Amino acid sequence: MRQITQPGSSTASALLKINGLNLLLPQGEIRTLESATDIDVIAPALHSAGWVSYAQKRWPVYCLSDELALMAHVPPERRACAMLAMGAGYIGILCDDMIILRTLQRNALNCLLR
């Protein structure tokens, strides 16, 4: 488990790479990054890929396509699980990779996307 940030402690962003999709999220929304090999695939929740343990509980992990559709099959490229805060709990999103973008990098990315 790699602790990423405390809520509200950074102006950086996290770029989740999911197949051909680059999903940009505030870094403060991501609590930790887990290995996809840590996911328990026995009896997954409805539409989930399995469970991951975080903060002394089990939370559902989801696999998304590059069109943000839920996937039943987890491609081997999904090597990481980003744990996101959701209300009073957490969910895991499987991704190929994650990159932390500092403020200057994020501003440059925003200019490129315009």
Side-chain angles (χ1 to χ4, degrees):
M1 173 174 51
R2 181 175 146 202
Q3 189 69 30
I4 301 297
T5 187
Q6 294 297 322
S9 67
S10 175
T11 59
S13 297
L15 184 66
L16 300 183
K17 295 183 168 279
I18 301 172
N19 198 13
L21 175 70
N22 290 323
L23 187 61
L24 190 65
L25 301 171
Q27 183 185 0
E29 296 297 317
I30 299 180
R31 298 300 179 254
T32 189
L33 189 63
E34 302 282 343
S35 171
T37 60
D38 293 337
I39 295 170
D40 179 0
V41 296
I42 298 172
L46 184 63
H47 303 296
S48 80
W51 301 93
V52 69
S53 295
Y54 176 69
Q56 301 165 350
K57 292 186 179 180
R58 287 170 29 107
W59 304 100
V61 174
Y62 298 94
C63 184
L64 301 173
S65 72
D66 57 2
E67 296 176 350
L68 299 178
L70 291 170
M71 296 176 61
H73 171 72
V74 178
E77 300 84 35
R78 303 295 193 278
R79 299 179 315 225
C81 176
M83 294 300 296
L84 283 70
M86 293 295 289
Y90 303 93
I91 63 166
I93 300 294
L94 288 167
C95 57
D96 302 346
D97 196 11
M98 185 180 85
I99 300 169
I100 301 299
L101 299 174
R102 303 289 172 218
T103 304
L104 291 175
Q105 293 169 314
R106 189 179 69 216
N107 290 341
L109 181 64
N110 287 339
C111 289
L112 290 173
L113 295 176
R114 287 185 193 163

